[in-house]
Structures are given as C-alpha cells and as structure tokens.
Amino acid sequence: MKPQRAGLLFASGSALALLLAACSGGSSNSASPQPTSTASQVFTYDTTATVMDDTWDPATEYSDGIIAMPNMYETLTRYNSATHKVDPLLATSWSKSADGLTWTFHLRHGVHFHTGRLMTAQAAKAALQRTIKLGGGAAYVFTPVKSLSTPSQYTLVFHLSYPAPMDVATSAAYSAYIYDTQAAGSTASNSALTKWFNTPHDAGTGPYTVQTWNKGQEFEVILKDYPGYWGGWSGPHYKKVVFRVVSQDSTSAQLLRSGQVTFVEQVSPSVWQSFKGQQGIRTMTSPSLNLKLRQAISYGIDYPGIIAALHGAAVSSSGLIPDGLFGHSTNLPNYTYDPAKATQMLKQAGYGPGGKALNLSLTYTQGDSNEQVVATLLKSSLAKLNINLSTQSLAWPTQWAKAKSSDTASRQSIFLEYWWPDMPDPDTWFTNLLLTEHPPYYNLSYYSNPALDKQINKVDELTATNPAAGNQLYHTMQTEVLQQAPLQALYNVNYQYAMRTSFTGFVPNPAYANVVFVYNLKPTG
C-alpha cells in the first residue's frame, strides 16, 4: 500500500515505523467465477491487499494500484535495476542540454491509446500537464518542470527551472504515465475524466486493458490483452491478468500448489520456505529500497530479533536510503538494540522500569503476516522497558485514515508501514515522509523541521549539478533524522516471491515494488 510506510518504524522497500507520530485483506467471496481461459493464457497474481483502493486515475493513483497500473499504462522511460540506468519505453531516445535545463525526448511512432487515439508528443504533453496541475500522487517528481513544448509530432521537450534528471523522473512508478486526456471527450473537465476512469476505464498504451472490477471481492481486477498494443502479440504471451485478493497464507499456499494462482506476492517466511524444492514452484528473493522518548524507543527495538524472526524476508538497514540508491551510507549513527541505554533515557523522562508506565498504540496492515510478527516482537521488547504497546491490525484504508485524522487523539502512536521509491531516487523518502505537511497525508510522523525542509527542497538541484555535494547533503539529512528519530527504519525488505514454473522472464525490479510486467513473461505450459 502506498503509503506502505511506517511511523517511528519503517522498513525500506523499507519497513518503517513512524514513531510517536502520533496492508489490507480481502473477502473470500467472488463476484464472478474464476476466468475460464486456459491456464497458459491467464496470469493470476495473488495479493493480500485490495488492489484498487485509491483511484483509477493514472495521474493521482498512489497506493497498491501499482501492481496493476504498469500493465495498462506506460511511461516515457523505465528504470533497469540490473544496469542502474533507464531504458527506452514510449520514448526511444533522449538528450539534455549542457546546462541540464532542457531535455528532449523522441517518442515512439505508431503507438495508440486504448481509446484508439494516436499517441503523439502533444498528447503526452497534455497528460503530463494534467498530472502536474492536479498535483496528486507522485506529481512532485516533475517539480523542476517549468514548461513543456512539442516542436514536432513526436518530439517532447522539458524546460526546467533548475537541472534535474528527467530521464529518471519519467520512469517513476507513479504519476509518470502517458494517457489519453480526451478519453471522456475532448472538452471533458478534469473531474469528468477522473469520474470516467473510476467507472472503471483506462486510457493507457500498455499491453493490457481493464475488463472487470469486482470492487471488494476476491477476484478484484481482471485485465485483458489490448489487441492493438504497439509491441505486438506474436510469440507466447498471457492474454489475461487476474488480481486475486487472498488474506490467508495457508489459502495462498494451497492455491499456488494447485496451480490456481500463478504468482504469490507475499506469504510468511515459514510458508515461503516450504515451497522450496516443490515441483512446479519457483521461489525468488529480491532486495527492496518527544525526542528523549523517541530515542529511547529506538534503542529499545530488537532489530536483530526482528530480522531473525523474518527468516530472510528482511536485512539490516543503514539510514533511510537503501543500498543500491544514490545517497546510501554505511557510516551513519544508526540505532542498535541497547536496552540499558533505552532504560537510562526513559528514566530521565520519568518512565521505564520502576517509573511510570508508557502506554502506546501501534497499527499494522491486516493480512500482512510479516507486519504481525514485527508488531508482536515490538510489543515484547518494549514491555521489558515498562512500555505497554497495544497492537491492532486494520484494513489499509482504515489504518491510513486513522493516521490522517484531524482528531489527533484518535491517531495511533506508532504507524507501521513499508516505503518504496516513487522513482529510483532517494528524494522520495524525504519529500514524502519528512517534508512539513499540513494536513498530514504521507508525513505520518507529523514531523516539521524548517531547516530540514530547506535541505529537502535544495538536494535535488544540488545533486544534478554537484553529485558529491548532493551525496554529502543526504548524509547530513539522514544524520539529523536519526538524531531526531521521528521515524525509524526497522529493516530493508527482502522480497520473497513464490510462483509456478509455467513461465519464464520474470525479473524483479525494486524500483517498481511488487510489479510483474506480465507482457514480458513467456508462458511455457
């Protein structure tokens, strides 16, 4: 869920805990029978959370729709996690001016939206301008854009107010989609287009288009192939994609073993381990991406115990920025499990063993067995410090709404969530989670630091012109956040996938959390 991010606690597509800031299950009833197409034509994605719990509008969707959206929509570029560079997609090539203020993208010819309209530079410009104007989702990745121009039918130019890596921004996992802004009519308003999307419809250029949305049901989203896809359909391809919401690990395991689902996004480490060596199943891992009281709690968390309990689903973190991204540092003042130091700091505040009990609440996402394990371990380790932690599992929309509530008394003390990058750039951790925000939306630690705000607003431009200075600023910012402890990175997620061996071509890409680009798979039986 986006945010799948946490309060004091946080794991880094990262697992986060948003401290003293204070995903979801599905029905077992199906609105329609399982698709009748042959197994070799249908790719069934098993997920614990509602897929389209936000909006169908590609400009502003910013949650678990990420697993479905990239199969309907495409961006100008796509990040390649193997080469750490961006590859062509709707843009075939691009260049930038010497001062970094002008980026010219040459678009692919002969691409049509699912509405039948030709994708041109003018259409792409209209999509990006609408996304920027609406300002939702991850539209902030286009903050440097001063204007867009289209000198020819297939040439799109970004004019920037300061240098920024637009080839990376156009590969973002959210809000970088190119779509038909005239899908609801050439004179339709923004709100009318959003309403059209939410019926639902899609207006992308991707290989699949929406067939059915069974809102709140087990077989929630079904996509079908778009016959006019520019990549063509020669050779083996899945013709249908089904997103099936299954909240119980045992049920997911049974469905995978029987071949009723093709891919399982997440199960508990013990269930995942049980798949190893089983005929017809393949497993895969992929790496992801009050001051005294906050500091005391940070020292009171048994980080090694959490990582051990997750049996390979987690690895230790250093700061907010995960290994593999610019700005990652190993020489940061990270917290370690130190109950003695936690006790000392709690006593200075009048709490801890022998003092007043500290009563806190924590919420985590219903149906996420890993978060349940973490919540249980947090409760246990903090109990030794005379901290009473009440834990509650909530459906993701309920958990998020609670954190954003205008009634501060009704919020949770600790918000447990995952955070993954909107684009392969570390700025996404700071802009969303730590930039001052009123009312709260993603900054669910409610942290406000004007000095840090200035650094956050400066770091993107600095990195574009002086990477060494940008890297140092990220180190400085992370040091400040660790000292202030508004949130804490519990661990970096090590994605554990299980899938049938009836296809090839799956390459996990941590820049697109839990996304399976189904068109790229090759069914083998």
Side-chain angles (χ1 to χ4, degrees):
M1 291 109 257
K2 192 94 161 167
Q4 257 177 293
R5 307 151 198 199
L8 199 169
L9 311 175
F10 117 162
S12 200
S14 309
L16 296 173
L18 302 178
L19 268 196
L20 299 178
C23 283
S24 50
S27 166
S28 61
N29 298 317
S30 171
S32 63
Q34 190 171 6
T36 57
S37 302
T38 62
S40 64
Q41 293 179 311
V42 181
F43 182 88
T44 303
Y45 186 120
D46 176 309
T47 179
T48 62
T50 303
V51 179
M52 302 307 301
D53 61 356
D54 188 13
T55 176
W56 282 82
D57 192 328
T60 56
E61 196 285 324
Y62 203 39
S63 189
D64 279 347
I66 187 175
I67 65 175
M69 284 285 193
N71 287 290
M72 295 178 279
Y73 294 93
E74 294 174 315
T75 50
L76 295 180
T77 59
R78 180 174 291 168
Y79 182 72
N80 185 322
S81 60
T83 63
H84 300 291
K85 297 179 180 179
V86 291
D87 290 338
L89 193 56
L90 290 179
T92 56
S93 64
W94 54 91
S95 61
K96 67 176 178 178
S97 61
D99 61 6
L101 294 176
T102 305
W103 287 75
T104 303
F105 289 81
H106 301 283
L107 306 192
R108 191 177 299 277
H109 294 207
V111 176
H112 288 82
F113 295 112
H114 298 164
T115 58
R117 184 175 171 228
L118 183 68
M119 185 209 71
T120 61
Q122 291 75 20
K125 173 185 174 180
L128 292 171
Q129 285 182 324
R130 176 177 180 270
T131 294
I132 293 169
K133 180 180 179 180
L134 292 179
Y140 71 89
V141 303
F142 296 113
T143 299
V145 177
K146 182 170 58 177
S147 64
L148 294 163
S149 63
T150 56
S152 71
Q153 186 178 21
Y154 290 106
T155 305
L156 177 63
V157 181
F158 290 74
H159 304 279
L160 310 185
S161 55
Y162 56 86
M166 294 315 297
D167 55 341
V168 175
T170 55
S171 72
Y174 298 94
S175 299
Y177 299 123
I178 304 302
Y179 55 93
D180 185 1
T181 58
Q182 297 183 21
S186 59
T187 61
S189 64
N190 279 329
S191 58
L193 181 55
T194 295
K195 184 176 180 180
W196 181 87
F197 282 128
N198 286 329
T199 51
H201 290 104
D202 71 272
T205 61
Y208 301 95
T209 184
V210 62
Q211 174 180 306
T212 308
W213 181 33
N214 302 311
K215 184 177 181 179
Q217 301 300 310
E218 183 176 349
F219 292 93
E220 184 196 354
V221 177
I222 300 175
L223 308 180
K224 62 181 180 179
D225 64 305
Y226 174 61
Y229 180 56
W230 60 265
W233 290 97
S234 62
H237 291 282
Y238 287 104
K239 295 301 182 69
K240 189 169 291 188
V241 185
V242 178
F243 294 94
R244 184 171 181 174
V245 182
V246 182
S247 59
Q248 297 296 324
D249 285 354
S250 57
T251 304
S252 294
Q254 181 181 6
L255 292 172
L256 183 65
R257 290 186 174 109
S258 65
Q260 295 179 68
V261 300
T262 319
F263 180 94
V264 176
E265 172 192 355
Q266 177 182 299
V267 290
S268 67
S270 59
V271 172
W272 183 80
Q273 290 284 347
S274 74
F275 291 137
K276 289 189 173 182
Q278 289 199 3
Q279 185 176 1
I281 295 178
R282 176 170 60 244
T283 57
M284 186 178 295
T285 63
S286 174
S288 44
L289 280 165
N290 168 311
L291 181 57
K292 284 288 184 187
L293 291 180
R294 294 199 302 269
Q295 290 175 331
I297 293 172
S298 297
Y299 281 116
I301 296 170
D302 185 359
Y303 305 97
I306 290 173
I307 291 171
L310 292 178
H311 300 292
V315 295
S316 60
S317 61
S318 177
L320 274 67
I321 303 171
D323 190 13
L325 279 186
F326 178 83
H328 172 72
S329 298
T330 57
N331 61 336
L332 289 165
N334 295 293
Y335 288 91
T336 57
Y337 183 40
D338 192 338
K341 192 165 187 175
T343 298
Q344 179 186 23
M345 299 183 78
L346 285 168
K347 285 185 175 180
Q348 291 174 2
Y351 294 94
K356 292 184 296 183
L358 183 61
N359 299 310
L360 302 175
S361 62
L362 175 149
T363 62
Y364 64 94
T365 305
Q366 190 177 76
D368 190 318
S369 55
N370 286 357
E371 283 195 355
Q372 183 178 12
V373 168
V374 172
T376 300
L377 292 175
L378 287 171
K379 182 180 180 71
S380 175
S381 62
L382 294 181
K384 300 171 185 176
L385 302 173
N386 199 22
I387 298 175
N388 302 318
L389 183 65
S390 64
T391 63
Q392 183 181 21
S393 66
L394 297 172
W396 171 249
T398 305
Q399 182 188 7
W400 191 15
K402 182 177 177 68
K404 295 186 295 180
S405 174
S406 58
D407 178 9
T408 58
S410 69
R411 297 171 179 170
Q412 54 276 78
S413 308
I414 299 176
F415 183 92
L416 191 62
E417 69 180 346
Y418 304 104
W419 186 262
W420 53 76
D422 300 325
M423 60 178 177
D425 186 285
D427 183 56
T428 63
W429 270 264
F430 295 89
T431 301
N432 287 281
L433 296 173
L434 292 162
L435 195 65
T436 299
E437 196 174 51
H438 300 295
Y441 196 72
Y442 292 125
N443 181 346
L444 300 180
S445 65
Y446 321 116
Y447 183 62
S448 178
N449 181 334
L452 182 65
D453 288 348
K454 290 180 181 179
Q455 292 174 323
I456 293 172
N457 291 326
K458 173 185 177 183
V459 69
D460 196 32
E461 180 178 359
L462 181 63
T463 299
T465 55
N466 189 336
N471 189 68
Q472 181 57 50
L473 182 54
Y474 274 121
H475 188 281
T476 300
M477 292 161 62
Q478 290 183 89
T479 299
E480 171 70 6
V481 171
L482 285 164
Q483 194 276 329
Q484 292 292 316
L487 51 77
Q488 187 57 258
L490 298 179
Y491 56 88
N492 283 345
V493 172
N494 199 29
Y495 295 120
Q496 294 181 315
Y497 301 123
M499 62 206 80
R500 300 294 300 177
T501 56
S502 54
F503 65 90
T504 60
F506 175 60
V507 179
N509 189 333
Y512 306 96
N514 298 321
V515 174
V516 177
F517 295 101
V518 179
Y519 178 81
N520 296 337
L521 306 181
K522 302 301 179 187
T524 57

